Each structure stands twice: as C-alpha cells, then as structure tokens.
PDB file of all heavy atoms in Angstrom:
ATOM      1  N   SER A   1      15.290  13.913  28.448  1.00  0.00           N
ATOM      2  CA  SER A   1      14.036  13.216  28.152  1.00  0.00           C
ATOM      3  C   SER A   1      13.877  13.134  26.641  1.00  0.00           C
ATOM      4  O   SER A   1      14.445  13.937  25.896  1.00  0.00           O
ATOM      5  CB  SER A   1      12.831  13.924  28.784  1.00  0.00           C
ATOM      6  OG  SER A   1      12.589  15.169  28.164  1.00  0.00           O
ATOM      7  N   HIS A   2      13.117  12.152  26.210  1.00  0.00           N
ATOM      8  CA  HIS A   2      12.914  12.002  24.767  1.00  0.00           C
ATOM      9  C   HIS A   2      11.652  11.190  24.500  1.00  0.00           C
ATOM     10  O   HIS A   2      11.143  10.489  25.382  1.00  0.00           O
ATOM     11  CB  HIS A   2      14.116  11.329  24.097  1.00  0.00           C
ATOM     12  CG  HIS A   2      14.329   9.902  24.488  1.00  0.00           C
ATOM     13  ND1 HIS A   2      14.934   9.532  25.662  1.00  0.00           N
ATOM     14  CD2 HIS A   2      14.004   8.744  23.851  1.00  0.00           C
ATOM     15  CE1 HIS A   2      14.993   8.224  25.734  1.00  0.00           C
ATOM     16  NE2 HIS A   2      14.417   7.716  24.659  1.00  0.00           N
ATOM     17  N   ASP A   3      11.150  11.325  23.272  1.00  0.00           N
ATOM     18  CA  ASP A   3      10.032  10.520  22.779  1.00  0.00           C
ATOM     19  C   ASP A   3      10.552   9.644  21.653  1.00  0.00           C
ATOM     20  O   ASP A   3      11.291  10.120  20.779  1.00  0.00           O
ATOM     21  CB  ASP A   3       8.909  11.415  22.239  1.00  0.00           C
ATOM     22  CG  ASP A   3       8.311  12.298  23.315  1.00  0.00           C
ATOM     23  OD1 ASP A   3       8.114  11.807  24.436  1.00  0.00           O
ATOM     24  OD2 ASP A   3       8.070  13.488  23.040  1.00  0.00           O
ATOM     25  N   ASP A   4      10.165   8.376  21.652  1.00  0.00           N
ATOM     26  CA  ASP A   4      10.569   7.443  20.601  1.00  0.00           C
ATOM     27  C   ASP A   4       9.394   7.173  19.669  1.00  0.00           C
ATOM     28  O   ASP A   4       8.274   6.903  20.129  1.00  0.00           O
ATOM     29  CB  ASP A   4      11.028   6.106  21.200  1.00  0.00           C
ATOM     30  CG  ASP A   4      12.282   6.245  22.035  1.00  0.00           C
ATOM     31  OD1 ASP A   4      13.119   7.104  21.706  1.00  0.00           O
ATOM     32  OD2 ASP A   4      12.421   5.491  23.020  1.00  0.00           O
ATOM     33  N   TYR A   5       9.670   7.236  18.381  1.00  0.00           N
ATOM     34  CA  TYR A   5       8.705   6.844  17.352  1.00  0.00           C
ATOM     35  C   TYR A   5       9.369   5.861  16.399  1.00  0.00           C
ATOM     36  O   TYR A   5      10.553   6.023  16.067  1.00  0.00           O
ATOM     37  CB  TYR A   5       8.234   8.043  16.535  1.00  0.00           C
ATOM     38  CG  TYR A   5       7.134   8.866  17.156  1.00  0.00           C
ATOM     39  CD1 TYR A   5       7.423   9.791  18.148  1.00  0.00           C
ATOM     40  CD2 TYR A   5       5.807   8.738  16.742  1.00  0.00           C
ATOM     41  CE1 TYR A   5       6.421  10.561  18.726  1.00  0.00           C
ATOM     42  CE2 TYR A   5       4.800   9.498  17.307  1.00  0.00           C
ATOM     43  CZ  TYR A   5       5.111  10.411  18.288  1.00  0.00           C
ATOM     44  OH  TYR A   5       4.119  11.177  18.863  1.00  0.00           O
ATOM     45  N   ILE A   6       8.624   4.851  15.954  1.00  0.00           N
ATOM     46  CA  ILE A   6       9.056   3.997  14.854  1.00  0.00           C
ATOM     47  C   ILE A   6       8.137   4.272  13.676  1.00  0.00           C
ATOM     48  O   ILE A   6       6.905   4.244  13.805  1.00  0.00           O
ATOM     49  CB  ILE A   6       9.014   2.504  15.235  1.00  0.00           C
ATOM     50  CG1 ILE A   6      10.026   2.214  16.343  1.00  0.00           C
ATOM     51  CG2 ILE A   6       9.313   1.628  14.014  1.00  0.00           C
ATOM     52  CD1 ILE A   6       9.998   0.787  16.838  1.00  0.00           C
ATOM     53  N   TRP A   7       8.746   4.577  12.526  1.00  0.00           N
ATOM     54  CA  TRP A   7       8.013   4.927  11.312  1.00  0.00           C
ATOM     55  C   TRP A   7       8.326   3.927  10.203  1.00  0.00           C
ATOM     56  O   TRP A   7       9.451   3.435  10.108  1.00  0.00           O
ATOM     57  CB  TRP A   7       8.412   6.320  10.816  1.00  0.00           C
ATOM     58  CG  TRP A   7       8.246   7.431  11.789  1.00  0.00           C
ATOM     59  CD1 TRP A   7       9.226   8.024  12.550  1.00  0.00           C
ATOM     60  CD2 TRP A   7       7.035   8.138  12.094  1.00  0.00           C
ATOM     61  NE1 TRP A   7       8.700   9.041  13.309  1.00  0.00           N
ATOM     62  CE2 TRP A   7       7.360   9.142  13.050  1.00  0.00           C
ATOM     63  CE3 TRP A   7       5.711   8.026  11.662  1.00  0.00           C
ATOM     64  CZ2 TRP A   7       6.413  10.012  13.566  1.00  0.00           C
ATOM     65  CZ3 TRP A   7       4.766   8.895  12.176  1.00  0.00           C
ATOM     66  CH2 TRP A   7       5.111   9.872  13.114  1.00  0.00           C
ATOM     67  N   SER A   8       7.338   3.665   9.326  1.00  0.00           N
ATOM     68  CA  SER A   8       7.544   2.886   8.111  1.00  0.00           C
ATOM     69  C   SER A   8       7.423   3.813   6.914  1.00  0.00           C
ATOM     70  O   SER A   8       6.446   4.580   6.804  1.00  0.00           O
ATOM     71  CB  SER A   8       6.506   1.762   7.982  1.00  0.00           C
ATOM     72  OG  SER A   8       6.719   0.771   8.960  1.00  0.00           O
ATOM     73  N   LEU A   9       8.389   3.767   6.019  1.00  0.00           N
ATOM     74  CA  LEU A   9       8.368   4.600   4.828  1.00  0.00           C
ATOM     75  C   LEU A   9       7.289   4.118   3.871  1.00  0.00           C
ATOM     76  O   LEU A   9       7.241   2.938   3.511  1.00  0.00           O
ATOM     77  CB  LEU A   9       9.740   4.562   4.145  1.00  0.00           C
ATOM     78  CG  LEU A   9       9.905   5.457   2.926  1.00  0.00           C
ATOM     79  CD1 LEU A   9       9.799   6.927   3.307  1.00  0.00           C
ATOM     80  CD2 LEU A   9      11.245   5.178   2.241  1.00  0.00           C
ATOM     81  N   VAL A  10       6.419   5.031   3.471  1.00  0.00           N
ATOM     82  CA  VAL A  10       5.335   4.719   2.540  1.00  0.00           C
ATOM     83  C   VAL A  10       5.682   5.188   1.136  1.00  0.00           C
ATOM     84  O   VAL A  10       5.454   4.490   0.146  1.00  0.00           O
ATOM     85  CB  VAL A  10       4.013   5.373   3.005  1.00  0.00           C
ATOM     86  CG1 VAL A  10       2.900   5.135   1.992  1.00  0.00           C
ATOM     87  CG2 VAL A  10       3.612   4.842   4.376  1.00  0.00           C
ATOM     88  N   ALA A  11       6.228   6.393   1.008  1.00  0.00           N
ATOM     89  CA  ALA A  11       6.572   6.966  -0.300  1.00  0.00           C
ATOM     90  C   ALA A  11       7.712   7.947  -0.120  1.00  0.00           C
ATOM     91  O   ALA A  11       7.839   8.586   0.927  1.00  0.00           O
ATOM     92  CB  ALA A  11       5.364   7.669  -0.924  1.00  0.00           C
ATOM     93  N   SER A  12       8.554   8.095  -1.168  1.00  0.00           N
ATOM     94  CA  SER A  12       9.658   9.040  -1.077  1.00  0.00           C
ATOM     95  C   SER A  12      10.135   9.414  -2.466  1.00  0.00           C
ATOM     96  O   SER A  12       9.860   8.731  -3.454  1.00  0.00           O
ATOM     97  CB  SER A  12      10.825   8.441  -0.272  1.00  0.00           C
ATOM     98  OG  SER A  12      11.411   7.360  -0.976  1.00  0.00           O
ATOM     99  N   ASP A  13      10.854  10.496  -2.535  1.00  0.00           N
ATOM    100  CA  ASP A  13      11.549  10.947  -3.732  1.00  0.00           C
ATOM    101  C   ASP A  13      12.813  11.621  -3.254  1.00  0.00           C
ATOM    102  O   ASP A  13      12.753  12.623  -2.526  1.00  0.00           O
ATOM    103  CB  ASP A  13      10.695  11.920  -4.535  1.00  0.00           C
ATOM    104  CG  ASP A  13      11.301  12.262  -5.894  1.00  0.00           C
ATOM    105  OD1 ASP A  13      12.537  12.299  -5.994  1.00  0.00           O
ATOM    106  OD2 ASP A  13      10.540  12.502  -6.845  1.00  0.00           O
ATOM    107  N   ALA A  14      13.976  11.074  -3.616  1.00  0.00           N
ATOM    108  CA  ALA A  14      15.244  11.604  -3.139  1.00  0.00           C
ATOM    109  C   ALA A  14      15.810  12.681  -4.049  1.00  0.00           C
ATOM    110  O   ALA A  14      16.909  13.156  -3.822  1.00  0.00           O
ATOM    111  CB  ALA A  14      16.259  10.478  -2.993  1.00  0.00           C
ATOM    112  N   GLY A  15      15.073  13.097  -5.109  1.00  0.00           N
ATOM    113  CA  GLY A  15      15.556  14.148  -5.980  1.00  0.00           C
ATOM    114  C   GLY A  15      16.488  13.635  -7.057  1.00  0.00           C
ATOM    115  O   GLY A  15      16.723  12.431  -7.207  1.00  0.00           O
ATOM    116  N   SER A  16      17.050  14.550  -7.824  1.00  0.00           N
ATOM    117  CA  SER A  16      17.841  14.181  -8.987  1.00  0.00           C
ATOM    118  C   SER A  16      19.230  13.682  -8.629  1.00  0.00           C
ATOM    119  O   SER A  16      19.892  13.048  -9.434  1.00  0.00           O
ATOM    120  CB  SER A  16      17.975  15.376  -9.932  1.00  0.00           C
ATOM    121  OG  SER A  16      18.561  16.472  -9.247  1.00  0.00           O
ATOM    122  N   ASP A  17      19.699  13.989  -7.423  1.00  0.00           N
ATOM    123  CA  ASP A  17      21.034  13.562  -7.008  1.00  0.00           C
ATOM    124  C   ASP A  17      20.975  13.022  -5.592  1.00  0.00           C
ATOM    125  O   ASP A  17      21.269  13.731  -4.638  1.00  0.00           O
ATOM    126  CB  ASP A  17      22.026  14.727  -7.097  1.00  0.00           C
ATOM    127  CG  ASP A  17      23.471  14.271  -6.899  1.00  0.00           C
ATOM    128  OD1 ASP A  17      23.664  13.082  -6.566  1.00  0.00           O
ATOM    129  OD2 ASP A  17      24.384  15.089  -7.078  1.00  0.00           O
ATOM    130  N   PRO A  18      20.584  11.740  -5.431  1.00  0.00           N
ATOM    131  CA  PRO A  18      20.430  11.178  -4.088  1.00  0.00           C
ATOM    132  C   PRO A  18      21.713  11.151  -3.280  1.00  0.00           C
ATOM    133  O   PRO A  18      21.672  10.932  -2.066  1.00  0.00           O
ATOM    134  CB  PRO A  18      19.918   9.754  -4.362  1.00  0.00           C
ATOM    135  CG  PRO A  18      19.381   9.786  -5.748  1.00  0.00           C
ATOM    136  CD  PRO A  18      20.209  10.796  -6.476  1.00  0.00           C
ATOM    137  N   SER A  19      22.884  11.337  -3.932  1.00  0.00           N
ATOM    138  CA  SER A  19      24.136  11.321  -3.181  1.00  0.00           C
ATOM    139  C   SER A  19      24.351  12.606  -2.402  1.00  0.00           C
ATOM    140  O   SER A  19      25.215  12.670  -1.525  1.00  0.00           O
ATOM    141  CB  SER A  19      25.321  11.105  -4.130  1.00  0.00           C
ATOM    142  OG  SER A  19      25.516  12.227  -4.980  1.00  0.00           O
ATOM    143  N   VAL A  20      23.573  13.653  -2.707  1.00  0.00           N
ATOM    144  CA  VAL A  20      23.723  14.926  -2.016  1.00  0.00           C
ATOM    145  C   VAL A  20      22.848  14.933  -0.776  1.00  0.00           C
ATOM    146  O   VAL A  20      21.637  14.768  -0.855  1.00  0.00           O
ATOM    147  CB  VAL A  20      23.346  16.106  -2.933  1.00  0.00           C
ATOM    148  CG1 VAL A  20      23.401  17.413  -2.160  1.00  0.00           C
ATOM    149  CG2 VAL A  20      24.273  16.153  -4.137  1.00  0.00           C
ATOM    150  N   THR A  21      23.459  15.115   0.372  1.00  0.00           N
ATOM    151  CA  THR A  21      22.715  15.151   1.627  1.00  0.00           C
ATOM    152  C   THR A  21      22.192  16.565   1.852  1.00  0.00           C
ATOM    153  O   THR A  21      22.976  17.504   1.914  1.00  0.00           O
ATOM    154  CB  THR A  21      23.601  14.751   2.814  1.00  0.00           C
ATOM    155  OG1 THR A  21      24.085  13.430   2.597  1.00  0.00           O
ATOM    156  CG2 THR A  21      22.817  14.802   4.118  1.00  0.00           C
ATOM    157  N   PRO A  22      20.893  16.751   1.943  1.00  0.00           N
ATOM    158  CA  PRO A  22      20.365  18.092   2.178  1.00  0.00           C
ATOM    159  C   PRO A  22      20.716  18.582   3.563  1.00  0.00           C
ATOM    160  O   PRO A  22      20.940  17.784   4.480  1.00  0.00           O
ATOM    161  CB  PRO A  22      18.859  17.906   2.005  1.00  0.00           C
ATOM    162  CG  PRO A  22      18.615  16.474   2.337  1.00  0.00           C
ATOM    163  CD  PRO A  22      19.840  15.736   1.887  1.00  0.00           C
ATOM    164  N   ASP A  23      20.753  19.873   3.699  1.00  0.00           N
ATOM    165  CA  ASP A  23      21.113  20.466   4.982  1.00  0.00           C
ATOM    166  C   ASP A  23      19.917  20.965   5.761  1.00  0.00           C
ATOM    167  O   ASP A  23      20.065  21.352   6.915  1.00  0.00           O
ATOM    168  CB  ASP A  23      22.102  21.620   4.768  1.00  0.00           C
ATOM    169  CG  ASP A  23      23.490  21.115   4.392  1.00  0.00           C
ATOM    170  OD1 ASP A  23      23.873  20.036   4.891  1.00  0.00           O
ATOM    171  OD2 ASP A  23      24.168  21.774   3.600  1.00  0.00           O
ATOM    172  N   ALA A  24      18.735  21.003   5.162  1.00  0.00           N
ATOM    173  CA  ALA A  24      17.552  21.539   5.837  1.00  0.00           C
ATOM    174  C   ALA A  24      16.360  20.613   5.600  1.00  0.00           C
ATOM    175  O   ALA A  24      16.174  20.104   4.493  1.00  0.00           O
ATOM    176  CB  ALA A  24      17.234  22.942   5.326  1.00  0.00           C
ATOM    177  N   TRP A  25      15.587  20.428   6.654  1.00  0.00           N
ATOM    178  CA  TRP A  25      14.365  19.629   6.580  1.00  0.00           C
ATOM    179  C   TRP A  25      13.235  20.390   7.255  1.00  0.00           C
ATOM    180  O   TRP A  25      13.456  21.073   8.266  1.00  0.00           O
ATOM    181  CB  TRP A  25      14.481  18.325   7.363  1.00  0.00           C
ATOM    182  CG  TRP A  25      15.393  17.290   6.850  1.00  0.00           C
ATOM    183  CD1 TRP A  25      15.078  16.202   6.088  1.00  0.00           C
ATOM    184  CD2 TRP A  25      16.801  17.192   7.107  1.00  0.00           C
ATOM    185  NE1 TRP A  25      16.199  15.448   5.857  1.00  0.00           N
ATOM    186  CE2 TRP A  25      17.266  16.045   6.461  1.00  0.00           C
ATOM    187  CE3 TRP A  25      17.708  17.994   7.808  1.00  0.00           C
ATOM    188  CZ2 TRP A  25      18.610  15.652   6.504  1.00  0.00           C
ATOM    189  CZ3 TRP A  25      19.042  17.608   7.850  1.00  0.00           C
ATOM    190  CH2 TRP A  25      19.475  16.457   7.209  1.00  0.00           C
ATOM    191  N   VAL A  26      12.040  20.234   6.750  1.00  0.00           N
ATOM    192  CA  VAL A  26      10.863  20.575   7.524  1.00  0.00           C
ATOM    193  C   VAL A  26      10.069  19.284   7.699  1.00  0.00           C
ATOM    194  O   VAL A  26       9.885  18.516   6.745  1.00  0.00           O
ATOM    195  CB  VAL A  26      10.004  21.678   6.865  1.00  0.00           C
ATOM    196  CG1 VAL A  26       9.446  21.247   5.527  1.00  0.00           C
ATOM    197  CG2 VAL A  26       8.883  22.113   7.799  1.00  0.00           C
ATOM    198  N   SER A  27       9.682  19.017   8.930  1.00  0.00           N
ATOM    199  CA  SER A  27       8.906  17.820   9.249  1.00  0.00           C
ATOM    200  C   SER A  27       7.534  18.242   9.743  1.00  0.00           C
ATOM    201  O   SER A  27       7.437  19.101  10.625  1.00  0.00           O
ATOM    202  CB  SER A  27       9.595  16.985  10.343  1.00  0.00           C
ATOM    203  OG  SER A  27      10.838  16.508   9.907  1.00  0.00           O
ATOM    204  N   THR A  28       6.510  17.643   9.185  1.00  0.00           N
ATOM    205  CA  THR A  28       5.144  17.862   9.633  1.00  0.00           C
ATOM    206  C   THR A  28       4.632  16.575  10.247  1.00  0.00           C
ATOM    207  O   THR A  28       4.587  15.531   9.594  1.00  0.00           O
ATOM    208  CB  THR A  28       4.238  18.289   8.464  1.00  0.00           C
ATOM    209  OG1 THR A  28       4.740  19.492   7.885  1.00  0.00           O
ATOM    210  CG2 THR A  28       2.808  18.525   8.946  1.00  0.00           C
ATOM    211  N   TYR A  29       4.297  16.660  11.527  1.00  0.00           N
ATOM    212  CA  TYR A  29       3.820  15.510  12.294  1.00  0.00           C
ATOM    213  C   TYR A  29       2.303  15.612  12.393  1.00  0.00           C
ATOM    214  O   TYR A  29       1.774  16.542  13.005  1.00  0.00           O
ATOM    215  CB  TYR A  29       4.466  15.496  13.680  1.00  0.00           C
ATOM    216  CG  TYR A  29       5.977  15.459  13.626  1.00  0.00           C
ATOM    217  CD1 TYR A  29       6.722  16.640  13.597  1.00  0.00           C
ATOM    218  CD2 TYR A  29       6.658  14.239  13.576  1.00  0.00           C
ATOM    219  CE1 TYR A  29       8.114  16.613  13.524  1.00  0.00           C
ATOM    220  CE2 TYR A  29       8.044  14.206  13.508  1.00  0.00           C
ATOM    221  CZ  TYR A  29       8.763  15.390  13.484  1.00  0.00           C
ATOM    222  OH  TYR A  29      10.139  15.363  13.412  1.00  0.00           O
ATOM    223  N   TRP A  30       1.605  14.652  11.781  1.00  0.00           N
ATOM    224  CA  TRP A  30       0.154  14.728  11.628  1.00  0.00           C
ATOM    225  C   TRP A  30      -0.575  13.898  12.672  1.00  0.00           C
ATOM    226  O   TRP A  30      -0.202  12.755  12.946  1.00  0.00           O
ATOM    227  CB  TRP A  30      -0.262  14.227  10.250  1.00  0.00           C
ATOM    228  CG  TRP A  30       0.190  15.085   9.105  1.00  0.00           C
ATOM    229  CD1 TRP A  30       1.313  14.921   8.346  1.00  0.00           C
ATOM    230  CD2 TRP A  30      -0.472  16.248   8.600  1.00  0.00           C
ATOM    231  NE1 TRP A  30       1.378  15.911   7.393  1.00  0.00           N
ATOM    232  CE2 TRP A  30       0.312  16.730   7.529  1.00  0.00           C
ATOM    233  CE3 TRP A  30      -1.647  16.924   8.954  1.00  0.00           C
ATOM    234  CZ2 TRP A  30      -0.055  17.856   6.799  1.00  0.00           C
ATOM    235  CZ3 TRP A  30      -2.004  18.041   8.231  1.00  0.00           C
ATOM    236  CH2 TRP A  30      -1.214  18.497   7.164  1.00  0.00           C
ATOM    237  N   VAL A  31      -1.631  14.457  13.206  1.00  0.00           N
ATOM    238  CA  VAL A  31      -2.578  13.730  14.042  1.00  0.00           C
ATOM    239  C   VAL A  31      -3.734  13.307  13.143  1.00  0.00           C
ATOM    240  O   VAL A  31      -4.417  14.163  12.560  1.00  0.00           O
ATOM    241  CB  VAL A  31      -3.091  14.604  15.200  1.00  0.00           C
ATOM    242  CG1 VAL A  31      -4.099  13.820  16.040  1.00  0.00           C
ATOM    243  CG2 VAL A  31      -1.934  15.094  16.059  1.00  0.00           C
ATOM    244  N   CYS A  32      -3.943  12.005  12.993  1.00  0.00           N
ATOM    245  CA  CYS A  32      -4.924  11.491  12.024  1.00  0.00           C
ATOM    246  C   CYS A  32      -5.878  10.497  12.682  1.00  0.00           C
ATOM    247  O   CYS A  32      -5.561   9.882  13.702  1.00  0.00           O
ATOM    248  CB  CYS A  32      -4.223  10.783  10.855  1.00  0.00           C
ATOM    249  SG  CYS A  32      -2.918  11.711  10.044  1.00  0.00           S
ATOM    250  N   SER A  33      -7.005  10.331  12.056  1.00  0.00           N
ATOM    251  CA  SER A  33      -7.956   9.309  12.480  1.00  0.00           C
ATOM    252  C   SER A  33      -7.410   7.934  12.132  1.00  0.00           C
ATOM    253  O   SER A  33      -7.126   7.650  10.957  1.00  0.00           O
ATOM    254  CB  SER A  33      -9.298   9.517  11.773  1.00  0.00           C
ATOM    255  OG  SER A  33     -10.117   8.365  11.899  1.00  0.00           O
ATOM    256  N   GLU A  34      -7.247   7.065  13.139  1.00  0.00           N
ATOM    257  CA  GLU A  34      -6.734   5.727  12.864  1.00  0.00           C
ATOM    258  C   GLU A  34      -7.690   4.942  11.971  1.00  0.00           C
ATOM    259  O   GLU A  34      -7.258   4.087  11.193  1.00  0.00           O
ATOM    260  CB  GLU A  34      -6.490   4.985  14.174  1.00  0.00           C
ATOM    261  CG  GLU A  34      -5.387   5.580  15.026  1.00  0.00           C
ATOM    262  CD  GLU A  34      -5.083   4.759  16.264  1.00  0.00           C
ATOM    263  OE1 GLU A  34      -5.037   3.515  16.136  1.00  0.00           O
ATOM    264  OE2 GLU A  34      -4.908   5.347  17.350  1.00  0.00           O
ATOM    265  N   ARG A  35      -8.960   5.233  12.051  1.00  0.00           N
ATOM    266  CA  ARG A  35      -9.954   4.492  11.266  1.00  0.00           C
ATOM    267  C   ARG A  35      -9.822   4.759   9.776  1.00  0.00           C
ATOM    268  O   ARG A  35     -10.063   3.866   8.949  1.00  0.00           O
ATOM    269  CB  ARG A  35     -11.364   4.858  11.750  1.00  0.00           C
ATOM    270  CG  ARG A  35     -12.479   4.055  11.108  1.00  0.00           C
ATOM    271  CD  ARG A  35     -13.812   4.408  11.729  1.00  0.00           C
ATOM    272  NE  ARG A  35     -14.164   5.798  11.534  1.00  0.00           N
ATOM    273  CZ  ARG A  35     -14.751   6.278  10.425  1.00  0.00           C
ATOM    274  NH1 ARG A  35     -15.041   5.456   9.433  1.00  0.00           N
ATOM    275  NH2 ARG A  35     -15.057   7.554  10.335  1.00  0.00           N
ATOM    276  N   THR A  36      -9.426   5.965   9.393  1.00  0.00           N
ATOM    277  CA  THR A  36      -9.400   6.338   7.974  1.00  0.00           C
ATOM    278  C   THR A  36      -8.013   6.802   7.497  1.00  0.00           C
ATOM    279  O   THR A  36      -7.890   7.316   6.392  1.00  0.00           O
ATOM    280  CB  THR A  36     -10.413   7.465   7.705  1.00  0.00           C
ATOM    281  OG1 THR A  36     -10.189   8.543   8.621  1.00  0.00           O
ATOM    282  CG2 THR A  36     -11.837   6.950   7.873  1.00  0.00           C
ATOM    283  N   GLU A  37      -6.975   6.581   8.310  1.00  0.00           N
ATOM    284  CA  GLU A  37      -5.659   7.095   7.919  1.00  0.00           C
ATOM    285  C   GLU A  37      -5.100   6.418   6.674  1.00  0.00           C
ATOM    286  O   GLU A  37      -4.269   7.003   5.965  1.00  0.00           O
ATOM    287  CB  GLU A  37      -4.673   6.965   9.079  1.00  0.00           C
ATOM    288  CG  GLU A  37      -4.434   5.554   9.545  1.00  0.00           C
ATOM    289  CD  GLU A  37      -3.589   5.496  10.820  1.00  0.00           C
ATOM    290  OE1 GLU A  37      -3.257   6.538  11.388  1.00  0.00           O
ATOM    291  OE2 GLU A  37      -3.263   4.372  11.230  1.00  0.00           O
ATOM    292  N   ALA A  38      -5.532   5.197   6.348  1.00  0.00           N
ATOM    293  CA  ALA A  38      -5.088   4.561   5.101  1.00  0.00           C
ATOM    294  C   ALA A  38      -5.523   5.391   3.889  1.00  0.00           C
ATOM    295  O   ALA A  38      -4.810   5.446   2.875  1.00  0.00           O
ATOM    296  CB  ALA A  38      -5.622   3.135   4.993  1.00  0.00           C
TER     297      ALA A  38
END
C-alpha cells in the first residue's frame, strides 16, 4: 500500500556543493490551514 503526493518546490538551498548527494534527510509533513497557508 502507498500514499501519493504531488509537491511543488517553493524554496530550496542545495548547499555549497550541489553535486554531493546527502545521505540523510529529515522530512516534516505539516498540516496547515488552507485558507492561510500562503
């Protein structure tokens, strides 16, 4: 089983060496008010 999400990138910073693929991520999935999420 799985859940599908489609995301649009709003902002990012790839660090000083974007060619280096990081090995660890922390992801925070936010529940927000649709009326004021902008």
Side-chain angles (χ1 to χ4, degrees):
S1 68
H2 67 280
D3 297 319
D4 295 327
Y5 278 79
I6 295 177
W7 304 101
S8 291
L9 184 65
V10 176
S12 67
D13 188 327
S16 57
D17 190 353
S19 68
V20 175
T21 300
D23 287 326
W25 291 263
V26 63
S27 297
T28 301
Y29 302 90
W30 293 95
V31 179
C32 309
S33 165
E34 294 185 42
R35 186 175 62 84
T36 52
E37 61 188 4

